[in-house]
Amino acid sequence: FHGKLAAESTVSVSPKVSGRIVQVNAKIGDRVEKGELLVQLETEQLALQVEQAQAALDGAKANLERLREGARPEEIEQAKANVEQANANYANVKLQYDRSKKLYESGVLTGQEWDAIQAQLRVAEAQKIAAEKSLDLVEKGARKTDLDAAAAAVRQAEVALASAKLQLDYAFITSPISGVVSSVSAEVGNMAAPGVPVAVVVDMDSLELAAHVGEREVVKLKPGQPVAVQLAVLPGRVFTGKVETVAPAADLQTGLFGITIAVENLDGVLRPGMYASAQVTVA
């Protein structure tokens, strides 16, 4: 069979976030390993977002811990003092109210002055009730709903921090596979955008030879059969391979069955695009 060699895996490497390119490590022809840094984007703004998310998480955790621990003794004492002060103020205003009521009924006070006294009593009463409720809350501690809300705030802050860290990691564009860099379009100073490739990495360790056979040949082929591969540009050398796939149905237009042959390229001498012939011993 005859066909053209192709890379088994060719990956266009694209950033997941936008940003200005500050470093390009890859050059055409470089051998790179999976996870190796190819291009780096600016990280100052992304690092600040991580710090902000971390600060928000610390604050949410501190608030949850404060609610779980409850009020400190000095806070309870302060709340009790506020209640005593509010009660004393209410008692004083109530006394003035009782005296003013008699004066108003006897015609000594005007209607405007009586309205002012009544307003003062309502304010003092509201302050007294608020102080008592505040003391009650301090003594009882946080309600379950408050604790649940604080715990939810912590979880939300944790998710925000993880997202910020992930965005920072995306600024370091790495190779998803081991292979050889076949093209580089990134330049320092240019803006990178999500989905726009900055480099292409080709897996050169294992190549594929695609061919098409007729019905007389396809019945003799099956995956796993050993294959001897030769190239006119490399006379005298025989490369080993094996049948990888055999199409279950023929092409409707040509009537031929597609097959792929995996070819080992251990020394890296083979290149995608080279023409090769393959021999499969079937009997």
Side-chain angles (χ1 to χ4, degrees):
F1 312 114
H2 302 277
K4 184 186 293 186
L5 292 173
E8 197 171 73
S9 179
T10 300
V11 180
S12 295
V13 184
S14 303
K16 296 181 179 180
V17 295
S18 60
R20 191 172 303 279
I21 299 172
V22 297
Q23 185 178 348
V24 178
N25 291 348
K27 299 189 299 294
I28 295 177
D30 285 353
R31 172 78 188 187
V32 295
E33 299 300 322
K34 181 179 180 180
E36 186 174 336
L37 180 65
L38 302 178
V39 177
Q40 181 181 334
L41 308 182
E42 57 186 356
T43 59
E44 288 80 2
Q45 184 65 33
L46 297 173
L48 286 176
Q49 292 175 0
V50 171
E51 291 183 11
Q52 291 174 348
Q54 182 66 60
L57 175 59
D58 293 341
K61 286 183 176 180
N63 182 57
L64 177 59
E65 189 64 23
R66 180 182 62 82
L67 291 175
R68 284 175 175 172
E69 290 178 353
R72 295 173 296 179
E74 54 268 28
E75 292 176 332
I76 296 176
E77 291 301 321
Q78 181 61 48
K80 289 180 178 179
N82 292 338
V83 170
E84 292 177 0
Q85 182 180 357
N87 285 333
N89 181 61
Y90 175 77
N92 182 47
V93 175
K94 183 66 167 61
L95 182 60
Q96 294 179 11
Y97 172 84
D98 293 338
R99 292 174 180 175
S100 299
K101 183 177 182 181
K102 296 178 180 180
L103 294 175
Y104 173 71
E105 291 174 348
S106 62
V108 176
L109 290 181
T110 64
Q112 185 176 2
E113 291 173 330
W114 173 238
D115 291 340
I117 292 296
Q118 293 182 92
Q120 290 177 10
L121 180 64
R122 288 194 294 270
V123 171
E125 186 177 10
Q127 292 174 343
K128 175 178 174 294
I129 295 173
E132 291 171 347
K133 287 185 176 180
S134 179
L135 174 60
D136 185 58
L137 290 175
V138 170
E139 290 179 335
K140 288 182 177 179
R143 294 173 299 178
K144 184 179 183 303
T145 53
D146 294 332
L147 289 171
D148 291 343
V154 170
R155 290 193 296 270
Q156 184 177 4
E158 289 174 341
V159 172
L161 177 59
S163 177
K165 287 183 176 179
L166 189 61
Q167 294 296 309
L168 179 59
D169 290 341
Y170 285 160
F172 300 90
I173 305 171
T174 59
S175 177
I177 62 171
S178 297
V180 177
V181 179
S182 63
S183 70
V184 178
S185 56
E187 294 185 9
V188 174
N190 286 351
M191 290 295 295
V196 179
V198 294
V200 176
V201 180
V202 180
D203 181 5
M204 301 284 290
D205 294 337
S206 181
L207 303 181
E208 285 184 345
L209 177 65
H212 297 85
V213 300
E215 59 183 15
R216 292 181 180 273
E217 292 82 15
V218 74
V219 296
K220 302 176 184 179
L221 298 174
K222 60 183 178 180
Q225 287 175 316
V227 181
V229 179
Q230 292 180 297
L231 289 82
V233 294
L234 297 170
R237 292 200 60 177
V238 178
F239 299 88
T240 59
K242 65 178 180 179
V243 177
E244 194 168 49
T245 64
V246 179
D251 183 271
L252 295 178
Q253 294 182 346
T254 65
L256 300 177
F257 296 81
I259 65 170
T260 58
I261 298 169
V263 184
E264 294 182 353
N265 187 27
L266 300 180
D267 56 1
V269 68
L270 300 178
R271 296 286 188 273
M274 288 182 171
Y275 288 93
S277 61
Q279 293 179 337
V280 184
T281 303
V282 296

